[in-house]
């Protein structure tokens, strides 16, 4: 079992930056960030395998960066040039490594409680 605890959400104006953190109890899983806006389905933002391979959603390429601090068992999401459409609840999640570096929510087994990100225009 994997425990995941997110932090770092908040409110920012368009063009601003935020950094999300996710403390993970285990690191031998693919870890990912997902978001869900009101009335919309949960979507994958970025994932990183335990070997460091990453996959980004097209909508965030060049603006968001995922990283991990193995010594602290912490996952980060640096979000720059934020847009109002980035608004939503952001979740950290873990998927067994045999699923590869996927952005499919259904393949992620463990989920954090989420942290809210609000971007105003």
């Amino acid at each position: 079992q994997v425990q995941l605890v997110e932090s770092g959400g908040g409110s920012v104006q368009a063009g601003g930056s935020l950094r999300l953190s996710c403390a993970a109890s285990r690191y031998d899983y693919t870890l990912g960030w997902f978001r869900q806006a009101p009335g919309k389905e949960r979507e994958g933002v970025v994932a990183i395998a335990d070997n460091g391979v990453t996959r980004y959603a097209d909508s965030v390429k060049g603006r968001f960066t995922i990283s991990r601090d193995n010594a602290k068992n912490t996952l980060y999401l640096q979000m720059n040039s934020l847009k109002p459409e980035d608004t939503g609840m952001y979740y950290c999640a873990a998927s067994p490594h045999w699923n590869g570096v996927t952005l499919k929510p259904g393949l992620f087994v463990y989920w954090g409680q989420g942290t809210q990100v609000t971007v105003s225009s």
Side-chain angles (χ1 to χ4, degrees):
Q1 192 168 356
V2 183
Q3 282 80 43
L4 303 163
V5 180
E6 304 98 332
S7 60
S11 297
V12 65
Q13 289 191 328
S17 299
L18 283 173
R19 189 176 82 155
L20 306 183
S21 300
C22 173
S25 61
R26 291 181 58 174
Y27 241 39
D28 54 339
Y29 280 71
T30 292
L31 300 177
W33 287 100
F34 294 78
R35 64 187 180 191
Q36 187 166 19
K40 295 188 176 181
E41 292 187 353
R42 191 169 298 187
E43 64 172 351
V45 176
V46 58
I48 184 167
D50 54 359
N51 62 3
V53 176
T54 59
R55 173 171 288 184
Y56 288 85
D58 289 343
S59 59
V60 305
K61 283 181 180 177
R63 300 188 299 121
F64 290 12
T65 302
I66 192 171
S67 63
R68 56 200 295 170
D69 185 332
N70 291 337
K72 296 182 179 180
N73 274 9
T74 301
L75 182 72
Y76 300 101
L77 180 63
Q78 178 66 44
M79 304 185 294
N80 298 328
S81 302
L82 282 161
K83 304 176 181 180
E85 51 263 44
D86 294 317
T87 293
M89 186 69 78
Y90 281 68
Y91 298 90
C92 178
S95 172
H97 62 85
W98 54 81
N99 285 326
V101 189
T102 178
L103 292 178
K104 297 179 180 179
L107 295 180
F108 284 74
V109 179
Y110 303 104
W111 293 83
Q113 82 288 351
T115 185
Q116 178 68 35
V117 171
T118 303
V119 184
S120 58
S121 57

